[in-house]
Amino acid sequence: MKTESYSYEHIGETMHVYSHSSGLKTYVIPKKGYLKKYATFGTYYGSINSEFIIPGEDSPVKVPDGIAHFLEHKLFEQKDGSIMDKFSALGARPNAYTGSNQTVYLFSCTDRFHENFQLLLDFVQNPYITDESVEKEKDIIEQEIRMYEDDPGWRSYFNLLGAFYSRNPVRIDIAGTVESIRQINREMLMKCYDTFYHPSNMVIMVVGDVDYQKVFEQVEQSIRHKESRGEIKRIFPEEPESLNKKYVEQKLAVSVPLFKMGFKDNRTGLKGAEALMQEVGVKILLEMIMGRSSSLYTRLYEEGLINNTFAFSFTNEENYAFSAFGGESPDPEKVRDIFVESMEELYRSGLDEKTFERIRKSSTGKFIRQWNSVERICDSFINAYFKGATIFDYFDVYDKITFEYVNELFSGHFNLDNLALSVIKP
Amino acid sequence: MKTAAQEEKLIRVSSQKGVNVYYIETDKFKTNTINVFFHDELSRERATLNALLPAVLRRGTEKLPTQQDIALFLEEQYGAVFDCYVDKKGERQIMLFHMAYIADKYTGRDTKLFDNVFGLLFDIITAPALRNGCFREDYTAQEKENLRRLIEGRINEKDRYAIERCYEEMCSNEPFGIYEYGCVEDIEKITPDILYRHYAKFLEELPVDVFLSGSFTDEEINRVVQKFGEMKRGFWKNIDAGGIYRRPDVIKEVTEKLDVNQSKLSLGFRTNTAPSDIDYHALMVYNSILGGGIHSKLFRNVREKEGLAYYVFSMLESFKGLMLVTCGIDGKNKNRTIDLVKAQMDEIKNGVISDHEINSSKMYLENVIRSMRDNQFQTVSFYLNQVIAGTNDDFDDLIGKVNAVTKQEVSELGNKIFLDTIYFLTTKDGREEI
């Protein structure tokens, strides 16, 4: 059995890796003294993958929006009933989530880890989907979609993506639409399953006080596919570099307007440590420009234009990247105008190196704090993994990132031509 | 053998003049946290003042007079995090001042962060930025506006809104019906002077619990005890738990119409059970069988079997003896859903509880309780709840009591649970059945 181990002494964490013949990798980060064990089984398949070519075939397949998420719901059903009953009989809490790029199945437990882990390995590999259960699930998912339609934070986010992208499928809500899910049938679900749930497209991550050798043995015995498989061709429409729209607005039952604003970033497709470097770099820049210690935040706050709900993030994936920042505001357009004004000032004056050093230090501290939580470790691990890196690579990134590099990112990312604003109004 | 640091045990370090200092020693986290809780009775007179106060205090201290100064200072401390929260537990309003910072052994440098971060936390609470011996006019005005928006902004999150509104309607004649952040109508009349006079009483009279979690030296713990010991304290009050036992005469029905896509239904119940009651653990199991977890009757029937909702669950407000069932549904299914919830509760009362249901519920609760120990803040909250309820259980005690509950005890408990209020948030075009 081929295994490797990596240690990061400085914060007292170790990671063990096992590579299965199918191409599946399993990672274990043992957390001594933790009672909770958290295991995830993820596939590099999310809501954006609605057009693809199955390995070994020539012609592309197109499926309805929301199918990855639909499949996530249906996988919990097994031949002998719901897998949820089996997990709850063992005292575990199973769950799953679908993102734009990934679908992740997970459970947490404090007892009988290996039995629960076996359930996870088995149910993700054994779909049991009937026409009848597909029809019933449509009602439940419709309610889920309705719930998100009323969520102003969620809506402002997807409206912003719609402002950035005219064709990239990331602009479509993860669960699809009430209309698109009505078209889904068993055959389509199975086609997606067979394409994207091959172990070579997946990863397993376990965090908790577990015996990693035993985890690896269980994986070796339970993974049915023994051989690796050819690449899945993922098809995306050609996306123009420019914005789809500069401004989008929607009315919802809210008391104060909400906004999200951000930059569409055309520097995509970075892999491995380079992708992490870009992510950390832009996040440091956002913190420098609009973090709690910035003059811009102070001004907007004191003028009553933003409040404590103000937050920012940066996302970079294979074929899209963008920053997003916002919160509640009585006048989002004024926030944008002040932001633009202060960006123009910053282009003239340049970034401050001392501020960079201070933010780098505090960001490192925040990264270390993530290691308190088994869930945070897993989420951030999976996110990094599908970019071709691991969570351990971040340490190096925080150590090595330079002011010069961040300056270079600054002129690339903060391009006012690519700034869009999405507003939810009462 | 296990050391104290592996068990997350609670130690009371000191208790003087209504200020208790507790230490939860643990070495498994990367951070140390300091949590200062001020307790007050939930009252219309003081709720808004109590909620506004931390927001003004955090704006600046004598030494660091702006929030920008504070933010810069925190960044220098390896990204230490300061925050304030206002909460209610039963008819008790709680104001928390929280600080988390990287433990020195993980900064990779020869640091001693405690002095700086505790110094700042203590200053925020006791040495605010003042002008002419009073809170600053500008800070007070800005935070009043922020508070107003926060209270009005509750409507933005419909799931939570439907829960809070149900509680409010249910307890409209009891202190519990007051929102923990106060009332918009009470904000206007607050001046810096009124707030400052309230602040003096806040510091002198409210009971305080300080929880340290992580790895602290004796010297550091002593410093916390000493600094809080130096605070000027007068008479400090005892907090009344509020009324728990109640059997409603009529079921109150409230419908609110908003421009929404999904209707929310919340049912509020009186459990007539306090956390210190002998059958409280049966209530915990009851709640889990009914709607706490994927094994629950509500999840299996309302969602999985009938497909009426994506989310449906029940929850306890232990300190007020309330239970609430909430879900997101299509408005036309309101009555069908209510009947289904009632049918599940009747089953429990009639002893229709499978082995799977009770065993899964107990294991679920055990998992939840044990998992709290892996989260610094949840561990602190757990012990705070024990202190408030006067139960003094540790994690294993509580698990033991939950596991001892029998089906019969759960069924019997069902006889004390009464529906009080039906709250329904629905679309303006209202496709509600009559």
Side-chain angles (χ1 to χ4, degrees), chain A residues 10-11 13 33-36 85 88-89 91 94 108 110 136 140 143-144 147 149-150 152 253-255 258 293-294 298 301-302 304 358-359 361 365 369 372, chain B residues 28-31 67-68 72 75-76 79 81 102 106 108 142-143 146 149 152-153 156 158 261-262 294 300 303-304 310-311 329 356 360 363 367 370-371 374:
Chain A
H10 167 45
I11 64 151
E13 299 289 353
Y34 273 65
L35 293 122
K36 193 192 284 183
D85 293 346
S88 46
S108 70
T110 51
K136 207 184 68 197
I140 296 175
Q143 285 308 318
E144 189 177 358
M147 180 179 85
E149 280 173 353
D150 288 332
V254 294
S255 61
L258 271 88
S293 68
S294 68
T298 304
Y301 188 96
E302 286 179 354
R358 193 184 67 245
I359 299 292
K361 185 164 146 186
R369 206 170 61 227
N372 276 349
Chain B
K28 71 186 190 193
F29 301 109
K30 309 295 181 206
T31 46
Q67 61 177 2
Q68 191 174 18
L72 282 164
E75 282 167 1
E76 293 288 358
V81 174
I102 301 292
Y106 297 120
Q142 285 159 14
E143 295 310 328
N146 283 337
R149 280 193 221 145
E152 289 174 353
N156 293 7
K158 308 290 179 294
N261 290 293
Q262 185 182 59
I294 51 169
R300 286 154 61 110
R303 172 172 153 147
E304 297 292 287
Y310 166 67
Y311 77 88
I329 55 171
H356 174 76
S360 298
M363 278 188 284
N367 184 0
R370 279 161 63 98
S371 296
D374 291 344

Coordinates of all heavy atoms in Angstrom, one line a residue, chain A residues 10-11 13 33-36 85 88-89 91 94 108 110 136 140 143-144 147 149-150 152 253-255 258 293-294 298 301-302 304 358-359 361 365 369 372, chain B residues 28-31 67-68 72 75-76 79 81 102 106 108 142-143 146 149 152-153 156 158 261-262 294 300 303-304 310-311 329 356 360 363 367 370-371 374:
Chain A
H10 N 5.4 23.4 12.8 CA 5.1 24.7 13.3 C 3.8 24.8 14.0 O 3.6 25.4 15.1 CB 5.3 25.7 12.2 CG 4.8 27.1 12.5 ND1 5.0 27.7 13.7 CD2 4.0 27.9 11.8 CE1 4.4 28.9 13.7 NE2 3.8 29.1 12.6
I11 N 2.7 24.2 13.4 CA 1.4 24.2 14.1 C 1.0 22.8 14.5 O -0.2 22.6 14.9 CB 0.3 24.9 13.2 CG1 0.1 24.1 12.0 CG2 0.6 26.4 12.9 CD1 -1.4 24.3 11.5
E13 N 0.6 19.8 12.9 CA -0.3 19.0 12.2 C 0.4 18.1 11.2 O 1.4 18.5 10.6 CB -1.3 20.0 11.4 CG -2.1 20.9 12.2 CD -3.2 20.2 13.0 OE1 -3.5 19.0 12.8 OE2 -3.9 20.9 13.9
G33 N -7.0 14.4 20.4 CA -7.8 15.0 21.5 C -9.2 15.4 21.0 O -10.1 15.8 21.8
Y34 N -9.5 15.4 19.7 CA -10.8 15.7 19.2 C -11.7 14.5 19.3 O -11.3 13.4 19.1 CB -10.7 16.2 17.7 CG -10.5 17.7 17.6 CD1 -9.2 18.2 18.0 CD2 -11.4 18.6 17.1 CE1 -9.0 19.5 17.9 CE2 -11.1 19.9 17.0 CZ -9.9 20.4 17.4 OH -9.7 21.7 17.3
L35 N -13.0 14.8 19.6 CA -13.9 13.7 19.8 C -14.7 13.5 18.4 O -15.1 12.4 18.1 CB -14.9 14.0 20.9 CG -14.3 14.0 22.2 CD1 -14.4 15.3 22.9 CD2 -14.8 12.9 23.1
K36 N -14.8 14.5 17.7 CA -15.6 14.4 16.4 C -14.7 13.9 15.3 O -13.5 14.3 15.2 CB -16.1 15.8 16.1 CG -17.1 15.8 15.0 CD -17.4 17.2 14.4 CE -18.2 18.0 15.3 NZ -18.5 19.3 14.7
D85 N -31.2 6.4 7.6 CA -31.6 5.6 8.7 C -30.4 4.8 9.3 O -30.3 4.7 10.5 CB -32.7 4.6 8.3 CG -34.0 5.3 8.0 OD1 -34.1 6.5 8.3 OD2 -34.9 4.7 7.4
S88 N -28.2 7.2 11.1 CA -28.7 7.6 12.4 C -28.8 6.5 13.4 O -28.6 6.7 14.6 CB -30.1 8.4 12.3 OG -30.9 7.7 11.5
A89 N -28.9 5.2 12.9 CA -28.8 4.1 13.8 C -27.4 3.9 14.4 O -27.3 3.3 15.5 CB -29.2 2.8 13.1
G91 N -25.7 6.7 15.1 CA -25.4 8.0 15.9 C -24.7 9.0 15.1 O -24.2 10.0 15.6
P94 N -25.1 12.5 8.8 CA -24.7 12.6 7.4 C -25.2 13.9 6.8 O -26.2 14.5 7.2 CB -25.4 11.4 6.7 CG -26.6 11.2 7.5 CD -26.3 11.6 8.9
S108 N -20.4 13.3 10.3 CA -19.6 13.5 11.4 C -20.1 12.5 12.5 O -21.3 12.2 12.6 CB -19.7 14.9 11.9 OG -20.9 15.2 12.4
T110 N -19.0 10.7 16.7 CA -18.1 10.7 17.8 C -17.8 9.2 18.2 O -17.0 9.0 19.1 CB -18.5 11.5 19.0 OG1 -19.9 11.1 19.4 CG2 -18.6 13.0 18.7
K136 N -40.9 12.3 -6.9 CA -41.2 12.8 -5.6 C -40.1 13.8 -5.1 O -40.5 14.8 -4.5 CB -41.2 11.7 -4.5 CG -42.1 12.0 -3.4 CD -42.1 10.9 -2.3 CE -40.7 10.9 -1.6 NZ -40.5 9.6 -0.9
I140 N -39.6 18.3 -3.3 CA -38.8 18.7 -2.2 C -37.8 19.8 -2.7 O -37.6 20.9 -2.1 CB -38.0 17.6 -1.6 CG1 -39.0 16.6 -0.9 CG2 -36.9 18.0 -0.5 CD1 -38.3 15.3 -0.4
Q143 N -39.2 23.2 -3.2 CA -39.3 24.0 -2.0 C -37.9 24.6 -1.6 O -37.8 25.7 -1.1 CB -39.8 23.2 -0.8 CG -41.4 22.9 -0.9 CD -42.1 24.2 -1.1 OE1 -41.8 25.2 -0.5 NE2 -43.1 24.2 -2.0
E144 N -36.9 23.8 -1.9 CA -35.5 24.3 -1.7 C -35.2 25.5 -2.6 O -34.7 26.5 -2.1 CB -34.5 23.2 -1.9 CG -33.1 23.6 -1.5 CD -32.1 22.4 -1.6 OE1 -32.5 21.3 -2.1 OE2 -30.9 22.6 -1.3
M147 N -37.0 28.5 -1.3 CA -36.4 29.1 -0.1 C -35.3 30.0 -0.5 O -35.1 31.1 0.0 CB -35.9 27.9 0.7 CG -35.2 28.4 2.0 SD -34.6 26.9 3.0 CE -33.1 26.6 2.2
E149 N -35.0 31.5 -3.4 CA -35.5 32.7 -4.1 C -35.8 33.8 -3.1 O -35.9 35.0 -3.5 CB -36.8 32.3 -4.9 CG -36.5 31.6 -6.2 CD -37.7 31.1 -6.9 OE1 -38.8 31.1 -6.3 OE2 -37.6 30.6 -8.0
D150 N -36.1 33.5 -1.9 CA -36.5 34.5 -0.9 C -35.2 35.0 -0.1 O -35.4 35.8 0.8 CB -37.5 34.0 0.1 CG -38.9 33.8 -0.5 OD1 -39.2 34.6 -1.5 OD2 -39.7 33.0 -0.1
P152 N -32.2 37.1 0.3 CA -31.6 38.2 -0.4 C -30.1 38.1 -0.6 O -29.6 38.6 -1.6 CB -32.0 39.4 0.5 CG -32.4 38.8 1.8 CD -32.8 37.4 1.6
A253 N -38.6 41.2 -0.5 CA -39.2 41.7 0.8 C -38.1 41.9 1.8 O -37.8 41.1 2.7 CB -40.2 40.8 1.3
V254 N -37.3 43.1 1.7 CA -36.3 43.4 2.7 C -36.5 44.8 3.2 O -37.3 45.5 2.7 CB -34.9 43.4 2.0 CG1 -34.5 41.9 1.6 CG2 -34.8 44.3 0.8
S255 N -35.9 45.1 4.3 CA -36.1 46.4 5.0 C -35.1 47.4 4.5 O -35.4 48.6 4.3 CB -36.1 46.3 6.5 OG -34.8 45.8 6.8
L258 N -29.6 45.6 0.0 CA -28.4 44.8 0.1 C -27.6 44.9 -1.2 O -28.3 45.0 -2.2 CB -28.7 43.3 0.3 CG -29.0 42.8 1.7 CD1 -30.5 42.9 2.0 CD2 -28.6 41.3 1.7
S293 N -9.5 47.8 9.1 CA -8.5 48.8 9.4 C -8.3 49.8 8.3 O -7.5 50.7 8.4 CB -7.1 48.1 9.8 OG -6.6 47.6 8.6
S294 N -9.0 49.7 7.2 CA -8.7 50.6 6.0 C -9.5 51.9 6.2 O -10.5 52.0 6.9 CB -9.2 49.9 4.7 OG -10.6 49.8 4.8
T298 N -13.6 52.7 7.0 CA -13.9 53.7 8.1 C -14.8 54.8 7.6 O -15.8 55.2 8.2 CB -12.5 54.3 8.6 OG1 -11.7 53.2 9.0 CG2 -12.8 55.3 9.8
Y301 N -18.3 53.4 6.8 CA -19.0 53.1 8.1 C -19.4 54.4 8.7 O -20.6 54.5 9.2 CB -18.1 52.3 9.0 CG -18.7 51.8 10.2 CD1 -19.2 50.5 10.2 CD2 -18.9 52.5 11.4 CE1 -19.9 50.0 11.4 CE2 -19.5 52.0 12.5 CZ -20.0 50.8 12.5 OH -20.6 50.3 13.6
E302 N -18.5 55.3 8.8 CA -18.9 56.6 9.6 C -20.0 57.4 8.8 O -20.7 58.1 9.5 CB -17.6 57.4 9.8 CG -16.8 56.8 10.9 CD -15.5 57.5 11.3 OE1 -15.2 58.5 10.6 OE2 -14.9 57.0 12.2
G304 N -22.4 56.0 7.5 CA -23.6 55.2 7.6 C -24.0 54.5 6.3 O -25.1 54.1 6.1
R358 N 1.6 43.9 7.5 CA 0.7 43.7 8.7 C -0.5 42.8 8.4 O -0.8 41.9 9.1 CB 0.2 45.1 9.1 CG -0.5 45.1 10.5 CD -1.1 46.5 10.8 NE -2.2 46.8 9.9 CZ -2.2 47.8 9.1 NH1 -1.2 48.6 9.0 NH2 -3.3 48.0 8.3
I359 N -1.0 43.0 7.2 CA -2.2 42.2 6.8 C -1.7 40.7 6.5 O -2.4 39.8 6.8 CB -2.9 42.7 5.5 CG1 -3.4 44.2 5.8 CG2 -4.0 41.8 5.0 CD1 -4.5 44.2 6.7
K361 N 0.5 39.2 8.1 CA 0.7 38.6 9.4 C -0.7 38.2 10.0 O -0.9 37.1 10.5 CB 1.4 39.6 10.3 CG 1.7 39.2 11.7 CD 2.7 40.2 12.2 CE 2.6 40.4 13.7 NZ 3.5 41.4 14.2
G365 N -2.5 34.4 10.8 CA -3.2 34.1 12.0 C -4.6 33.6 11.8 O -5.0 32.6 12.4
R369 N -6.1 29.8 12.6 CA -7.3 29.6 13.4 C -8.2 28.6 12.8 O -8.9 27.9 13.5 CB -8.0 30.9 13.6 CG -8.8 30.9 14.9 CD -9.3 32.3 15.2 NE -10.1 32.8 14.2 CZ -10.1 34.0 13.7 NH1 -9.2 34.9 14.2 NH2 -10.9 34.4 12.8
N372 N -8.7 24.9 14.0 CA -9.5 24.5 15.2 C -10.6 23.6 14.8 O -11.1 22.9 15.6 CB -10.1 25.8 15.8 CG -9.1 26.5 16.7 OD1 -8.1 25.9 17.1 ND2 -9.5 27.7 17.2
Chain B
K28 N -6.0 21.7 22.8 CA -6.2 21.1 21.5 C -6.5 22.2 20.5 O -6.5 21.9 19.3 CB -7.2 20.0 21.5 CG -8.6 20.4 21.7 CD -9.5 19.2 21.8 CE -10.9 19.5 21.8 NZ -11.8 18.4 22.2
F29 N -6.7 23.4 20.9 CA -7.0 24.5 19.9 C -5.8 25.4 19.6 O -4.9 25.4 20.4 CB -8.2 25.3 20.4 CG -9.4 24.6 20.7 CD1 -9.9 24.3 22.0 CD2 -10.2 24.0 19.7 CE1 -11.0 23.6 22.2 CE2 -11.3 23.3 19.9 CZ -11.8 23.1 21.2
K30 N -5.9 26.0 18.5 CA -4.8 26.9 18.1 C -5.0 28.3 18.8 O -4.1 29.1 18.7 CB -4.7 27.2 16.6 CG -4.8 25.9 15.8 CD -3.5 25.1 15.9 CE -3.6 23.8 15.0 NZ -2.8 22.7 15.6
T31 N -6.1 28.5 19.4 CA -6.4 29.8 19.9 C -6.8 29.8 21.4 O -7.2 28.7 21.9 CB -7.7 30.4 19.2 OG1 -8.7 29.4 19.1 CG2 -7.3 30.9 17.8
Q67 N -12.4 52.9 15.8 CA -12.4 51.5 15.5 C -11.3 51.1 14.5 O -10.9 50.0 14.5 CB -13.8 51.1 15.1 CG -14.3 51.7 13.8 CD -15.7 51.1 13.4 OE1 -16.2 50.2 14.1 NE2 -16.2 51.5 12.3
Q68 N -10.9 52.1 13.8 CA -9.7 51.9 12.9 C -8.5 51.6 13.7 O -7.7 50.7 13.4 CB -9.5 53.1 12.0 CG -8.5 52.8 10.8 CD -8.4 54.0 9.9 OE1 -8.8 55.1 10.2 NE2 -7.9 53.7 8.7
L72 N -6.4 48.1 13.6 CA -4.9 48.1 13.3 C -4.2 47.3 14.4 O -3.3 46.5 14.2 CB -4.4 49.5 13.3 CG -4.6 50.3 12.0 CD1 -4.3 51.8 12.2 CD2 -3.7 49.7 10.9
E75 N -4.8 43.6 14.2 CA -4.0 43.0 13.1 C -2.6 42.7 13.6 O -2.0 41.7 13.2 CB -4.0 43.9 11.9 CG -5.4 43.8 11.1 CD -5.5 44.9 10.1 OE1 -4.6 45.7 9.9 OE2 -6.6 44.9 9.4
E76 N -2.0 43.6 14.3 CA -0.7 43.4 14.8 C -0.6 42.2 15.8 O 0.5 41.7 16.0 CB -0.2 44.7 15.6 CG 0.0 45.9 14.7 CD 1.2 45.8 13.8 OE1 2.0 44.8 13.9 OE2 1.4 46.8 13.0
G79 N -3.8 38.9 13.9 CA -5.2 38.8 13.5 C -6.1 38.3 14.7 O -7.0 37.5 14.4
V81 N -9.2 38.4 17.1 CA -10.6 38.8 16.7 C -11.4 39.3 17.9 O -11.4 38.6 18.9 CB -11.3 37.6 16.1 CG1 -12.8 38.0 15.8 CG2 -10.6 37.2 14.8
I102 N -4.4 33.8 18.6 CA -3.6 32.7 18.4 C -2.7 32.4 19.7 O -2.1 33.3 20.2 CB -2.6 32.9 17.2 CG1 -3.4 33.2 15.9 CG2 -1.7 31.7 17.0 CD1 -4.2 32.0 15.4
Y106 N 1.8 28.9 18.6 CA 1.6 28.7 17.2 C 1.9 30.0 16.4 O 1.7 30.0 15.2 CB 0.1 28.3 17.0 CG -0.2 27.0 17.6 CD1 -1.2 26.9 18.5 CD2 0.5 25.9 17.2 CE1 -1.5 25.6 19.1 CE2 0.2 24.6 17.7 CZ -0.8 24.5 18.7 OH -1.0 23.3 19.3
G108 N 4.8 31.1 15.9 CA 6.1 30.9 15.3 C 7.1 32.0 15.7 O 8.2 32.0 15.2
Q142 N -24.4 57.2 15.3 CA -24.2 56.2 14.2 C -24.7 54.8 14.7 O -25.3 54.1 13.9 CB -22.7 56.2 13.8 CG -22.3 57.4 13.0 CD -20.7 57.6 13.0 OE1 -20.0 56.7 13.5 NE2 -20.3 58.7 12.6
E143 N -24.4 54.5 15.9 CA -24.8 53.2 16.4 C -26.3 53.1 16.6 O -26.8 52.0 16.5 CB -23.9 52.8 17.6 CG -22.5 52.6 17.4 CD -22.1 51.7 16.2 OE1 -22.9 50.8 15.9 OE2 -21.1 52.0 15.5
N146 N -27.4 52.2 13.2 CA -27.1 50.8 12.9 C -28.0 49.9 13.6 O -28.5 48.9 13.1 CB -25.7 50.5 13.3 CG -24.7 51.1 12.3 OD1 -25.0 51.3 11.2 ND2 -23.4 51.3 12.8
R149 N -31.4 49.8 12.0 CA -31.4 49.0 10.8 C -31.3 47.5 11.1 O -31.9 46.6 10.4 CB -30.3 49.4 9.9 CG -30.6 50.6 9.1 CD -29.5 50.8 8.0 NE -29.2 52.2 7.9 CZ -28.0 52.6 7.6 NH1 -27.0 51.7 7.4 NH2 -27.7 53.9 7.5
E152 N -34.8 46.4 12.1 CA -35.7 46.3 11.0 C -35.2 45.3 10.0 O -36.1 44.7 9.2 CB -35.8 47.7 10.3 CG -36.5 48.7 11.1 CD -36.5 50.1 10.6 OE1 -35.7 50.4 9.6 OE2 -37.2 51.0 11.1
G153 N -33.9 45.0 9.9 CA -33.4 44.0 9.0 C -33.7 42.6 9.3 O -33.3 41.7 8.5
N156 N -35.2 40.3 6.7 CA -34.4 39.9 5.5 C -34.2 38.4 5.5 O -34.2 37.7 4.5 CB -33.0 40.6 5.4 CG -33.2 42.0 5.1 OD1 -34.3 42.6 5.1 ND2 -32.0 42.7 4.9
K158 N -35.9 35.2 6.2 CA -37.2 34.7 6.5 C -37.3 33.5 7.4 O -38.2 33.4 8.2 CB -37.9 34.4 5.1 CG -37.9 35.5 4.1 CD -38.7 36.7 4.5 CE -38.6 37.8 3.4 NZ -37.3 38.4 3.3
N261 N -41.8 33.9 -2.0 CA -42.1 32.8 -2.8 C -42.5 31.5 -2.0 O -43.2 30.7 -2.5 CB -40.8 32.4 -3.7 CG -40.5 33.5 -4.7 OD1 -41.3 33.6 -5.6 ND2 -39.5 34.2 -4.6
Q262 N -41.9 31.5 -0.8 CA -42.2 30.3 0.0 C -42.8 30.7 1.3 O -42.4 31.7 1.9 CB -40.9 29.6 0.3 CG -41.1 28.3 1.1 CD -39.8 27.6 1.5 OE1 -39.0 28.1 2.2 NE2 -39.7 26.4 1.0
I294 N -32.3 13.7 11.3 CA -32.9 13.0 10.1 C -33.7 11.8 10.5 O -34.4 11.2 9.7 CB -31.8 12.7 9.1 CG1 -30.7 11.9 9.8 CG2 -31.3 13.9 8.4 CD1 -29.7 11.3 8.9
R300 N -38.9 12.5 8.6 CA -39.3 11.4 7.8 C -40.7 11.5 7.2 O -40.9 11.0 6.1 CB -39.2 10.1 8.7 CG -37.7 9.7 8.9 CD -37.6 8.9 10.2 NE -38.4 7.7 10.2 CZ -37.8 6.5 10.1 NH1 -36.5 6.4 10.1 NH2 -38.6 5.4 10.1
R303 N -41.1 15.7 5.3 CA -40.2 15.9 4.1 C -40.1 14.6 3.3 O -40.5 14.6 2.1 CB -38.8 16.3 4.6 CG -37.8 16.2 3.4 CD -36.4 16.8 3.7 NE -35.5 16.2 2.8 CZ -34.4 16.8 2.4 NH1 -34.1 18.0 2.7 NH2 -33.5 16.1 1.6
E304 N -39.6 13.5 3.9 CA -39.3 12.3 3.0 C -40.5 11.7 2.5 O -40.6 11.3 1.3 CB -38.4 11.4 3.8 CG -37.1 11.9 4.3 CD -36.1 12.2 3.1 OE1 -35.6 11.2 2.6 OE2 -35.9 13.3 2.7
Y310 N -38.7 21.3 2.3 CA -37.3 21.0 2.2 C -36.6 20.9 3.6 O -35.9 20.1 4.0 CB -36.6 22.0 1.3 CG -35.0 21.9 1.4 CD1 -34.4 20.8 1.0 CD2 -34.3 23.0 2.0 CE1 -33.0 20.8 1.1 CE2 -32.9 22.9 2.1 CZ -32.3 21.8 1.6 OH -30.9 21.8 1.7
Y311 N -37.0 21.9 4.4 CA -36.6 21.9 5.8 C -37.7 21.9 6.8 O -38.8 22.5 6.6 CB -35.6 23.1 6.1 CG -36.3 24.4 6.4 CD1 -36.8 24.8 7.6 CD2 -36.5 25.3 5.3 CE1 -37.4 26.0 7.8 CE2 -37.1 26.5 5.5 CZ -37.6 26.9 6.8 OH -38.2 28.1 6.9
I329 N -42.9 25.8 3.4 CA -43.9 25.0 2.6 C -44.6 25.9 1.5 O -44.5 27.1 1.5 CB -45.0 24.4 3.5 CG1 -45.7 25.5 4.3 CG2 -44.4 23.4 4.4 CD1 -46.9 25.1 5.1
H356 N -35.8 2.3 16.9 CA -35.0 3.1 16.1 C -35.1 4.6 16.4 O -34.1 5.3 16.6 CB -35.3 2.9 14.6 CG -34.5 3.8 13.7 ND1 -33.2 3.6 13.3 CD2 -34.9 4.9 13.0 CE1 -32.8 4.5 12.5 NE2 -33.8 5.4 12.3
S360 N -31.9 6.2 18.1 CA -31.2 7.2 17.2 C -31.2 8.6 17.9 O -30.2 9.4 17.8 CB -31.9 7.3 15.9 OG -31.8 6.1 15.2
M363 N -28.5 8.7 20.5 CA -27.2 8.7 19.9 C -26.9 10.1 19.3 O -25.8 10.6 19.3 CB -27.0 7.6 18.9 CG -26.7 6.3 19.6 SD -26.2 5.0 18.4 CE -27.8 4.6 17.8
N367 N -23.9 12.5 20.3 CA -23.0 13.1 19.3 C -22.9 14.6 19.4 O -21.9 15.2 19.4 CB -23.5 12.6 17.9 CG -22.6 13.0 16.8 OD1 -21.6 13.6 17.0 ND2 -23.0 12.6 15.6
R370 N -21.2 15.6 22.7 CA -19.7 15.4 22.7 C -19.0 16.3 21.7 O -17.9 16.7 22.0 CB -19.5 13.9 22.3 CG -19.6 13.0 23.5 CD -19.8 11.5 23.1 NE -18.6 11.0 22.3 CZ -17.7 10.3 22.9 NH1 -17.7 10.0 24.2 NH2 -16.7 9.8 22.2
S371 N -19.7 16.6 20.6 CA -19.0 17.4 19.6 C -18.8 18.8 20.0 O -17.9 19.5 19.5 CB -19.9 17.4 18.3 OG -20.0 16.1 17.7
D374 N -15.3 20.0 20.9 CA -14.4 20.3 19.8 C -14.5 21.8 19.3 O -13.8 22.2 18.3 CB -14.5 19.4 18.6 CG -14.1 18.0 19.0 OD1 -13.5 17.8 20.0 OD2 -14.5 17.1 18.2

